[in-house]
Amino acid sequence: MDEHTLHQWFIDCFGPVQGEMAWKQVEALPEQIREQLMSQSPEDLPDPSQIRGMMQAFAGGGLNSFGEMQQTIEEGPINVKLAKSIALQQANDAESERSVTAEEGNAMRRAMSEVNLWLDTATDFNPVTEKAEALTRAAWVEGTIDQWAQFAAPVASSMNEALSAVISERLGDAFDGEITGMFAGPVPIPIPEGMKDPRQLMKLFANTSYAMQLGQAAGAMSKEVRGSYDQGIELLKNPAGGLIMQNVDEYAQSLEIDASEVTEFIALREQAYARLYVTVPWLMPRFTALIGKYARGITIDLDAMEEQLRGASSFDPESLSGAVNLSNVGLTTTDEQKETMHSIETILALVEGWVECVTWRAGMAHLPHLEQLREMMRRERAVGGPAELTFENLLGLQLRPKRTREAAQLWEHITAEQGIEARDAMWGHPDLLPALPDEHDDDAQAAKPQREHIDWDAELSKLLDDDADTGGETGADGTDGAQPDGGTAPDAKDTPDVPDVPDVPDTPDRPDDEQ
């Protein structure tokens, strides 16, 4: 790349005045760094419009003046304003709705009212008194970003210290102890006189880099999540939650299923989560405490972080994110870390499994495509959507969907054997929760009752292929067709047709007549 190309790129990005200032800063850099920059291909430079958008985000993120930068450093390990600004840019792009239409709002409220009636028959927990919200993508970002920042703060603190150490101690020799104007974030901008102390600048750089990672993750999630509880945790201040209606409609279109049924399915899950979190006051504080314990114990691999930084393209705003991505640089190998991760994974699996159990029983008589929708949800988790990737990249948590399937089976067995009231009473205290089977304990696997070894894929395929009139009186789990509350299951001929869904994994056992 020649100097003219790079010079023009600065002007296209920052305008004539700031572009010239940025170019003069490049000219003042040590020769070895200039050579590294000029060795890049012009195709590697990000689009100037992307840079301008990032600069706008910086303007909204408290990076306009030396005083704002100082305040940003003092406010904590994450520049939450910058994270929100970056996320909102994505959430408010040209494809995103800026408001919820009256039709969308009415559809959501109608669905919420309907599914709450269904849930009354499937759980002992009462409905939430507050009203759920119909959200835009931007409203979801506004309502959840502070909670994400709270979860990530302990990790960000450790990450910031490590990033500062790597840059100042391992990569700082070229600056001769003073920064003359290269970076105050991930793109070249003028450095205020008071920020030329490398230690101050590195704190700002670390604070900014992690905020970028969080903002990009939240912005991506805003286009994927359908309900506020999609991550399995309580994020909105409104305990009744809400639906991102644009995402719900687009999801229905992708599945080619009627939008009203998809809305009811997602509303059903949302309200099941809401009832659980409102009724079980210890649940969210316990989750938050476990996240904090896990995050404080993370060790950063400085060698891996240095490698990420050396391999980053100097002008690409996203290329530096690898250095604050825990899947690249986090070390969580201690026994305490593994134990804490297992606890977080288990409680999330039990929550999700309970929701699956309840929504199946509440919706099986009302949603013709319930099994297909559940299967799609499971496959999304297995592939790893924005929620799973956010937990992994920002918090270092690798959540395994297999545990959720096991938890759903477990709650189904408990419901069939002990009833709804006894099942829900187990949430009265953490010590009362059932234990998931230990996947590494071969003896425990061998000692399980035979009904837990059923091949659920084969059983479901057989049931779907059988003539509805040949249904037996005994369920797949060996129980009769009675419901936990003493009633009887609906006849197969009265149950809506379930679409043929191939390879449904680990479907919870339930009486044949409920298929």
Side-chain angles (χ1 to χ4, degrees), residues 207-222:
N207 179 296
T208 300
S209 297
Y210 200 90
M212 284 178 56
Q213 177 86 341
L214 175 59
Q216 289 166 359
M221 279 194 295
S222 73

Side-chain angles (χ1 to χ4, degrees), residues 1-14 23 26 36-51 183 186-188 312-319:
M1 170 169 57
D2 58 47
E3 292 187 355
H4 174 74
T5 299
L6 185 58
H7 188 182
Q8 185 60 46
W9 181 82
F10 277 119
I11 293 175
D12 292 341
C13 287
F14 309 116
W23 173 245
V26 171
Q36 181 182 358
L37 297 179
M38 301 307 298
S39 67
Q40 299 180 79
S41 169
E43 287 74 22
D44 293 336
L45 296 174
D47 188 280
S49 63
Q50 180 187 16
I51 299 298
F183 288 102
V187 295
S313 169
S314 300
F315 300 111
D316 183 352
E318 297 183 0
S319 66

